[in-house]
Amino acid sequence: MDLFACSWTALRTAVAALPEADFEKPSGCAGWLVRDLVCHLVIDAQDVLITLATPTGSEPTADAVTYWEVADRPPTGDDPLDALIVRLAAAYREPHLLTFHLDDVGSAAGRAAALADPEQRVRTRGQVLTAGDYLAAYVLEWTLHHLDLVAHLPHVPGPPAESLARSRAALEEIAGAAFPASLGDRDALLVGTGRRAPTAAERAALGAAAVRVPLHLG
């Protein structure tokens, strides 16, 4: 629960400090500008609120790791929902309206997470998880999108070290193997999810560790 708050607060703080010009720069998400990514974060925050307000008595069907689906190909930005995000982001016209909405809904999502009973079961995406596992899964979501935010903005602070470390551990669980120690947490996440290609040395180390990458998470 603490790592959810840490990763989410860091991401929202980074967005709030962006100059307007940065919203028109590319993000680390295929086909999305920074403004599109920020709009996606608004939708993510709404999903957190909806999920935490959807309790169920059913038995859990997933945890913080099995919540994630691994696709066989990277997103292209052509998915109808992805295209909707682009149109919706453009409708804001002025970046301050977008950041206001993220702060408004994002703050509410943060408060709801802090008040949630970690043992309460919730339903989302056809799955049942404890609220604690659901919020733990979102540490990876926030951390990866924080890396997407700063992909072309080197002046913007990246994710906290503790979020990177926890997200690396989660990705290793999803992969079923540990990344080489020679790969730092940030690089393990970028290479492991296909956000950048491995160098020759990294590829050799990954092969020796029998880690199959990239993992396209959805």
Side-chain angles (χ1 to χ4, degrees), residues 92-163:
Y92 279 90
R93 295 186 180 273
E94 298 179 21
H96 74 89
L97 298 175
L98 189 52
T99 55
F100 173 81
H101 197 182
L102 177 61
D103 180 65
D104 192 31
V105 181
S107 296
R111 290 192 297 272
L115 293 170
D117 175 359
E119 299 303 319
Q120 173 65 59
R121 297 164 189 170
V122 294
R123 186 179 296 277
T124 184
R125 292 175 29 167
Q127 300 175 319
V128 175
L129 304 87
T130 65
D133 274 342
Y134 173 71
L135 295 174
Y138 257 82
V139 173
L140 179 56
E141 173 85 356
W142 300 146
T143 303
L144 290 175
H145 280 327
H146 200 148
L147 292 173
D148 292 331
L149 178 73
V150 304
H152 302 281
L153 303 175
H155 58 284
V156 178
E162 53 266 50
S163 299

Side-chain angles (χ1 to χ4, degrees), residues 168 179-185 187 201-202 205-206:
R168 179 206 182 113
F179 291 103
S182 57
L183 271 178
D185 294 339
D187 288 323
E202 288 169 343
L206 287 164

Side-chain angles (χ1 to χ4, degrees), residues 26 40 84 95 107 147 154 186:
H40 173 72
L84 174 63
S107 296
L147 292 173
R186 181 189 184 108

Side-chain angles (χ1 to χ4, degrees), residues 152-201:
H152 302 281
L153 303 175
H155 58 284
V156 178
E162 53 266 50
S163 299
L164 289 168
R166 180 65 192 94
S167 295
R168 179 206 182 113
L171 191 62
E172 289 178 336
E173 287 191 62
I174 295 169
F179 291 103
S182 57
L183 271 178
D185 294 339
R186 181 189 184 108
D187 288 323
L189 291 169
L190 292 173
V191 171
T193 59
R195 281 167 164 80
R196 77 163 175 82
T199 65

